[in-house]
Amino acid sequence: MNKEKGFETRVIHEGYDSSYHHDSLAPPLYQTSTFTFENAKQGENRFAGEEEGFIYSRLGNPTVAMLEKRMVSLEGGEAALAFGSGMAAVSAVLFSLTKANDHILCSQGVYGCTFGLLQLMNEKYNIDHSFSAMDSEEELLNKIEPHTRCIYVETPINPTMQLIDLEMVVSVAKKKGIPVVVDNTFCSPYLQRPLELGCDIVIHSATKYIGGHGDVIAGIIVGKEDVIATIKMTTQKDIGGIISPFDAWLLLRGLKTLPVRMDRHCESAEKIAELLKNHPSVEKVIYPGHSNHPQYWIMKKQMKKPGGMISFTIKGTKEDSQKVMDELNLIKIAVSLGDAETLIQHPATMTHAVVPAEFRKKMGIEETLLRLSVGLESVDDIWSDLNQALSKISVGTATENV
Ligand SMILES: *Cc1c(COP(=O)(O)O)cnc(C)c1O
């Protein structure tokens, strides 16, 4: 299926041809570790790459291949690889692009475990990194070093919801010949497609919006044929962080409703963000859909919609923000995001607890910051739960009842 078909069609049909699978409507689950050869010669030919066909599920599996093909189409790339977690994907990419004494330039904020991985790469393999606001060409040029081998970007940045202008980053990186890697987890390909803007590799924690139902941990990367082939034959095959066929099957199912789910996530988040802004217990709401968001113009430029994630600080202390969480009934306290259930977490003590306090402060992760992943429940129910919880802290008055 080619790109002329709409996104909403490709999430359902791309990568699967039922005529090869007994006309099964749903893609079959090839839950197998290995594949048998008709004879020794066929085995030899497959290993030599002289004959197409599967060998062993760490090297490829039909159900996983369907998922990868679908993701290639959705992100507008040439090839994709699925992994057993988002972090398996991140590490396979970063270890593939770097060797000892190289340098990675990273956006000001990154997912907590990506931050941890960068520390580990530095301590064990002397692969250095630094952080940049990436808010202008000059800033970026200043931070690029002679040994920079990768520019690693999250946008929106988790959990501070700052945005980075990908076109600007690409224009600088191209001049320097440095690949740009984007963690697109918060957007999914429905809202943002970095490869179409010239970026080189897109990474997803498919655990989040791609799966969408909170029942699988997985990662996916998409990019050009040659770079993906290298990762497949090195840091994927030999380190081995592959996805299980069953998890790939769940993701194929989840993807079918991605646009429908994203539309609802975004619609509800816009409403909740507006209501939060006016709640007396709330100090500040950070949502890319607000026209006073400092990078609202970037949202307009590179995102289809502002997304389903909201960060906000409350008036009060760290304990007050924890009390708000404890007072919630419908909304669940949990890390992760992009699920049908609305989830709330406290980045300073949860997802970003590994980040040193001083650096957290620099990133803008305050002790009263809460991150909300707006789910698919009735938006009235989500708001009334939030509203009653926020009104229980002393600074908040209960004047804002719906
Ligand atoms: C969750 C997440 C990851 C890590 O993915 P896992 O599937 O948990 O390994 C990476 N980046 C972002 C932005 C995430 O939200």
Side-chain angles (χ1 to χ4, degrees), residues 85-87 111 114 154 158 183 185-186 205 207-208 217-218 337:
S85 72
M87 286 316 300
Y111 180 72
T114 304
E154 271 186 32
N158 175 27
D183 183 331
T185 300
F186 268 40
S205 168
T207 311
K208 317 295 167 54
I217 300 267
L337 57 110

